[in-house]
């Protein structure tokens, strides 16, 4: 799960959906949504995957249906 979380963190930052995500030696992650925004502490890989799923849901609901 840690590898998947790290991969998703990279994708979110590269696609500019999150400003920064930094893993800590404790397994926690520091996350900053916007350049001048507050830094959030997430409690591990599961929290990263939950954040990713939340962002995906937001993107899907914001996108008009193309069918």
């Amino acid at each position: 799960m840690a590898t998947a979380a790290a991969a998703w963190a990279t994708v979110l930052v590269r696609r500019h959906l999150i400003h920064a995500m930094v893993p800590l030696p404790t397994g926690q992650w520091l996350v900053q949504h916007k350049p001048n925004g507050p830094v959030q502490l997430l409690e591990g890989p599961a929290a990263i995957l939950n954040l990713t799923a939340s962002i995906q849901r937001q993107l899907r609901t914001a996108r008009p249906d193309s069918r």
Side-chain angles (χ1 to χ4, degrees):
M1 188 184 308
T3 304
W8 275 112
T10 300
V11 168
L12 293 174
V13 172
R14 284 188 181 168
R15 295 195 178 249
H16 305 285
L17 297 169
I18 296 285
H19 176 68
M21 297 181 86
V22 179
L24 299 175
T26 61
Q28 298 170 313
W29 286 74
L30 295 176
V31 177
Q32 188 176 28
H33 292 269
K34 296 181 181 185
N36 293 322
V39 175
Q40 180 182 10
L41 180 66
L42 296 182
E43 292 294 329
I48 296 296
L49 297 176
N50 288 338
L51 174 63
T52 301
S54 174
I55 290 171
Q56 288 176 330
R57 280 191 299 275
Q58 290 173 3
L59 291 173
R60 284 189 197 119
T61 58
R63 183 184 329 162
D65 191 16
S66 59
R67 295 181 201 185

